[in-house]
């Protein structure tokens, strides 16, 4: 059974093949054009440039009156395969090379009047003229060049240079044969390199794609291999971090569902049970009915707080909650929160110690900071020691005000400290006071302080207590006090 090989024209592998082959073909076409079609024109251009250079050299030597001018011209004509003539008033002053080489140069003597005429009729700014002579011999031409060596009213000295332009046909044929083999070798090497690099680059990407498919199906324990190019390695590292974070998010989601289900199950069970008791037993007994209704109301409040806290965290984490910052006195804000705990001080013997400056102004959302202080204080009440002492302290440290909530409770183990800010995380410490918290208090504290850009943390020693703290920048005064105000 035959299988058809399918090529994805949009794949990196196919595109790399095309790029390599395209580059190879482009280079070959350029070489063919330069060596075959452009060679003759390039050869003539180089000859013209060389003639101009030699003529300039002779002109400057003649102007200086060099004693060895004749020998210099002879050397230049022989080394460059030129025929050089100096003429004035129809008389030949110099003719190089001499002897047996005189015969070939006189075949151009009919062109000298034409060159002289072109030079004399040329515009004043034109110092040299040239043209090609078709000799009809062996299909090669000759470059004829003329310029002035001296030009006065009484005398004009002309310089003529004749440079044979030999045919390059045989050279082109040799180059064609060589380029044919060069083309075959280059195309083969290019194809092999294209296959090698395309496979080398696409192979790790294919591996990443297959691993990503597994991750897309919910397997977050996959590992993306990073042993290739830097860009692919960075992609693999990023995907590994993504897989880890997705795995953590999945675990947190499972924990959240489990904890929320557990927290909702208890109050719902209580509400149903006490509602049935009212229906079946205490409906006609006002005292029992009111007690059962109070339980139903308490459990409903507990469910409401849970839903409210979850909504608060969701709004913060999705960046939908905006802060309304205003100048806020941290001292008065903390004092108002502690005032709500006076009933615990009166009825259950709790001792709230508050140390703070008269004013501690910061720029913050007052309602959110109240929630932070309330949650930290409630947490301290829950875990405080047998002395039932909670200390709330505000002090200025450099450019920040630091608020600390401390207790003398059992403390937190060092390995548990990093997790106390997680939702529904429960330490191994036993509660001192029975509470109906939602398990989201410290997580809400973390999110609010993060939105404020505040530093926060916890310090704890087992058996001695814990201190939760956060820092907010001191509010800058809108204006400095004048010297009169300072004196007063």
């Amino acid at each position: 059974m035959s299988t058809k090989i399918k090529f994805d024209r949009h794949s990196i592998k196919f595109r790399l093949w095309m790029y390599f082959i395209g580059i190879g073909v482009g280079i070959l076409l350029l070489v063919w054009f330069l060596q075959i079609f452009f060679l003759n024109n390039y050869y003539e251009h180089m000859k013209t440039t060389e003639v101009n250079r030699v003529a300039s050299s002779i002109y400057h030597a003649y102007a200086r009156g060099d004693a060895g001018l004749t020998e210099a011209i002879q050397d230049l004509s022989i080394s460059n395969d030129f025929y050089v003539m100096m003429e004035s008033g129809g008389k030949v002053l110099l003719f190089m090379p001499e002897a047996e080489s005189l015969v070939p140069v006189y075949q151009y003597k009919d062109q000298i009047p034409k060159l002289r005429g072109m030079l004399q009729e040329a515009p004043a700014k034109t110092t040299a003229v040239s043209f090609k002579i078709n000799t009809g011999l062996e299909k090669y031409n000759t470059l004829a060049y003329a310029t002035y060596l001296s030009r006065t009213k009484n005398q004009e000295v002309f310089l003529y240079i004749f440079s044979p332009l030999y045919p390059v046909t045989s050279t082109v044929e040799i180059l064609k044969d060589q380029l044919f083999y060069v083309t075959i070798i280059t195309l083969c090497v290019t194809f092999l390199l294209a296959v090698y690099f395309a496979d080398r680059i696409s192979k790790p990407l294919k591996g990443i794609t297959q691993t990503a498919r597994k991750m897309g199906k919910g397997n977050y324990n996959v590992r993306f291999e990073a042993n290739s190019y830097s860009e692919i390695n960075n992609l693999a590292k990023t995907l590994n971090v993504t897989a880890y974070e997705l795995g953590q998010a999945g675990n947190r989601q499972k924990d959240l569902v489990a904890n929320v289900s557990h927290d909702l199950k208890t109050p719902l069970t209580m509400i149903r049970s006490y509602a049935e008791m009212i229906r079946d037993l205490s409906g006609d007994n006002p005292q029992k009915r009111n007690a059962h209704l109070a339980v139903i109301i308490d459990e409903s409040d507990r469910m409401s707080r849970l839903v409210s806290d979850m909504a608060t965290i969701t709004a913060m984490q999705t960046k939908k909650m905006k802060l309304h910052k205003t100048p806020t006195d941290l001292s008065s804000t903390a004092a108002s929160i502690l005032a709500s705990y006076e009933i615990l001080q009166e009825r259950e013997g709790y001792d709230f110690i508050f140390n703070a400056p008269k004013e501690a102004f910061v720029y913050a959302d007052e309602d959110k900071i109240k929630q932070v202080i309330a949650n930290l204080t409630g947490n301290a009440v829950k875990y405080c020691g047998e002395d039932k002492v909670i200390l709330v302290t505000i002090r200025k440290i450099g450019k920040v005000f630091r608020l600390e909530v401390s207790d003398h409770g059992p403390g937190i183990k060092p390995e548990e400290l990093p997790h106390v800010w997680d939702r529904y995380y429960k330490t191994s410490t036993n509660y001192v006071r029975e509470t109906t918290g939602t398990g989201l208090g410290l997580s809400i504290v973390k999110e609010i302080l993060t939105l404020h850009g505040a530093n926060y943390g916890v310090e704890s020693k087992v058996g001695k207590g814990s201190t939760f703290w956060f820092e907010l920048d001191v509010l800058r005064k809108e204006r400095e006090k004048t010297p009169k105000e300072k004196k007063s």
Side-chain angles (χ1 to χ4, degrees):
M1 183 178 179
S2 61
T3 58
K4 293 182 178 180
I5 300 176
K6 295 182 179 180
F7 289 99
D8 183 1
R9 291 182 295 176
H10 300 286
S11 67
I12 291 178
K13 191 171 185 177
F14 182 80
R15 291 293 177 90
L16 283 174
W17 285 353
M18 293 297 99
Y19 293 154
F20 269 95
I21 294 173
I23 291 172
V25 171
I27 292 174
L28 288 172
L29 290 176
L30 180 62
V31 171
W32 274 84
F33 174 77
L34 292 177
Q35 297 298 326
I36 305 302
F37 303 104
F38 189 63
L39 182 61
N40 191 57
N41 291 332
Y42 181 74
Y43 170 70
E44 292 183 3
H45 172 73
M46 292 300 296
K47 273 290 186 181
T48 303
T49 302
E50 188 66 18
V51 168
N52 280 316
R53 186 188 65 80
V54 171
S56 177
S57 177
I58 295 173
Y59 171 81
H60 290 296
Y62 180 83
R64 292 192 303 266
D66 291 352
L69 178 61
T70 302
E71 291 77 8
I73 292 176
Q74 185 173 6
D75 292 340
L76 287 172
S77 61
I78 294 174
S79 61
N80 293 282
D81 197 16
F82 292 162
Y83 298 95
V84 182
M85 177 185 290
M86 292 172 58
E87 181 254 347
S88 178
K91 296 181 179 180
V92 176
L93 303 180
L94 180 69
F95 193 26
M96 290 291 175
E98 298 177 340
E100 67 275 3
S101 300
L102 291 177
V103 176
V105 86
Y106 275 115
Q107 65 184 335
Y108 308 126
K109 65 181 180 179
D110 293 339
Q111 306 297 333
I112 291 177
K114 182 178 179 181
L115 282 169
R116 187 191 307 117
M118 290 175 61
L119 193 60
Q120 291 174 339
E121 293 174 3
K125 294 183 179 180
T126 302
T127 59
V129 294
S130 63
F131 65 89
K132 286 194 299 185
I133 303 170
N134 187 356
T135 62
L137 299 175
E138 298 181 4
K139 297 181 181 180
Y140 76 86
N141 298 326
T142 298
L143 176 65
Y145 175 92
T147 186
Y148 290 105
L149 286 179
S150 176
R151 189 179 187 185
T152 63
K153 293 181 179 180
N154 299 325
Q155 185 184 27
E156 290 181 333
V157 180
F158 299 93
L159 173 66
Y160 305 105
I161 299 177
F162 299 94
S163 175
L165 300 175
Y166 297 109
V168 294
T169 306
S170 59
T171 304
V172 170
E173 292 299 325
I174 294 172
L175 287 175
K176 283 183 178 179
D177 292 338
Q178 291 181 344
L179 287 176
F180 175 77
Y181 295 107
V182 170
T183 299
I184 299 299
I185 295 172
T186 302
L187 288 177
C188 292
V189 172
T190 301
F191 180 77
L192 292 175
L193 288 176
V195 172
Y196 173 75
F197 283 109
D199 185 68
R200 181 76 181 272
I201 294 174
S202 62
K203 189 174 181 179
L205 290 176
K206 287 181 179 178
I208 289 176
T209 301
Q210 293 174 357
T211 307
R213 289 196 184 101
K214 296 178 182 178
M215 187 176 71
K217 294 179 181 179
N219 182 9
Y220 302 123
N221 294 322
V222 295
R223 179 71 182 174
F224 293 89
E225 296 299 327
N227 55 0
S228 184
Y229 303 100
S230 296
E231 292 80 4
I232 298 177
N233 291 342
N234 291 335
L235 174 61
K237 291 177 182 177
T238 302
L239 290 174
N240 282 329
V241 173
T242 302
Y244 174 78
E245 294 295 335
L246 287 173
Q248 294 296 102
N251 293 334
R252 287 194 293 268
Q253 183 179 16
K254 292 177 183 177
D255 293 341
L256 178 63
V257 172
N259 286 306
V260 169
S261 300
H262 177 269
D263 284 353
L264 288 177
K265 183 178 181 180
T266 301
L268 285 173
T269 301
M270 296 287 288
I271 290 172
R272 178 181 177 84
S273 299
Y274 277 88
E276 290 176 348
M277 289 176 66
I278 293 173
R279 181 192 65 189
D280 299 333
L281 301 175
S282 61
D284 297 330
N285 188 328
Q287 186 175 359
K288 290 184 178 181
R289 183 179 65 228
N290 291 335
H292 294 163
L293 288 173
V295 173
I296 292 175
I297 293 172
D298 290 341
E299 294 301 324
S300 299
D301 290 340
R302 179 179 174 183
M303 291 177 59
S304 178
R305 287 195 301 272
L306 177 63
V307 173
S308 178
D309 285 350
M310 290 179 61
T312 299
I313 288 183
T314 302
M316 290 177 180
Q317 291 183 337
T318 56
K319 309 301 180 183
K320 292 182 179 180
M321 179 173 288
K322 295 182 179 180
L323 298 179
H324 302 284
K325 293 184 177 181
T326 58
T328 301
D329 184 2
L330 204 57
S331 296
S332 62
T333 301
S336 65
I337 296 299
L338 293 178
S340 64
Y341 286 91
E342 289 180 357
I343 189 170
L344 291 180
Q345 192 167 352
E346 294 175 0
R347 293 183 179 179
E348 301 184 29
Y350 283 86
D351 186 10
F352 294 88
I353 301 174
F354 182 45
N355 296 313
K358 186 177 181 180
E359 291 181 345
F361 276 97
V362 296
Y363 192 62
D365 188 320
E366 186 174 1
D367 290 337
K368 299 295 185 297
I369 294 301
K370 282 184 177 180
Q371 191 173 5
V372 168
I373 299 173
N375 285 348
L376 292 180
T377 305
N379 191 68
V381 170
K382 186 193 303 184
Y383 290 99
C384 71
E386 295 180 359
D387 60 359
K388 295 185 178 182
V389 174
I390 293 93
L391 296 92
V392 179
T393 305
I394 299 175
R395 52 197 173 97
K396 186 177 180 183
I397 303 176
K399 296 182 179 180
V400 298
F401 280 112
R402 181 184 180 110
L403 187 144
E404 299 176 346
V405 179
S406 305
D407 62 70
H408 298 151
I412 306 170
K413 295 179 180 179
E415 62 271 17
E416 295 180 346
L417 282 175
H419 304 289
V420 297
W421 308 99
D422 297 342
R423 282 179 281 180
Y424 288 107
Y425 184 80
K426 296 179 180 180
T427 67
S428 57
T429 305
N430 295 323
Y431 294 160
V432 172
R433 181 175 185 272
E434 191 67 28
T435 62
T436 57
T438 63
L440 299 172
L442 290 180
S443 182
I444 291 175
V445 168
K446 172 186 173 182
E447 296 297 334
I448 292 175
L449 294 177
T450 300
L451 286 176
H452 278 81
N455 293 325
Y456 63 92
V458 56
E459 299 168 0
S460 182
K461 291 184 178 180
V462 177
K464 293 186 177 181
S466 304
T467 298
F468 287 82
W469 59 269
F470 67 88
E471 296 174 342
L472 292 171
D473 292 338
V474 175
L475 180 66
R476 295 181 179 178
K477 295 182 179 179
E478 294 182 3
R479 62 184 181 88
E480 295 292 335
K481 290 185 177 180
T482 61
K484 293 183 178 178
E485 292 174 325
K486 289 182 179 178
K487 290 180 181 179
S488 62

